[in-house]
Amino acid sequence: MREKQGLSEDITVLMRQLVMNGHIRMAGTVLYTYFIRCWKLDDEHAAYYMRRYFEKYFAPQLQKYLQKLNKA
């Protein structure tokens, strides 16, 4: 049986810092790259997991970012 794989503490701290400083796009790029390189996921799955991560842990910030994108 395969063990559950979680994000490393360094990535978790980095995500929190980037999102709280308003750099949600950069955080998404970092997380997407992490999933591809460390978890060996394909592009489609990496994008899915990245989106789900932000929906779960940073929902208010994600909504604010998406609203800002829609206005532009």
Side-chain angles (χ1 to χ4, degrees), residues 4-57:
K4 264 190 162 179
Q5 192 174 12
L7 293 179
S8 69
E9 182 68 25
D10 294 338
I11 292 294
T12 305
V13 170
L14 179 60
M15 290 296 105
R16 191 176 318 119
Q17 288 175 343
L18 286 171
V19 170
M20 293 306 154
N21 287 324
H23 303 293
I24 197 162
R25 184 174 175 103
M26 179 63 74
T29 303
V30 169
L31 190 59
Y32 177 80
T33 304
Y34 178 82
F35 287 144
I36 289 174
R37 290 185 182 174
C38 295
W39 286 16
K40 309 288 190 231
L41 296 177
D42 58 42
D43 293 343
E44 192 174 311
H45 284 100
Y48 173 78
Y49 284 136
M50 177 193 62
R51 177 72 183 231
R52 296 292 296 158
Y53 180 83
F54 282 107
E55 288 173 351
K56 182 175 181 179
Y57 295 107

Side-chain angles (χ1 to χ4, degrees), residues 63-72:
Q63 291 303 318
K64 188 175 177 182
Y65 175 74
L66 291 175
Q67 287 173 353
K68 190 172 158 183
L69 277 181
N70 288 334
K71 285 183 181 179

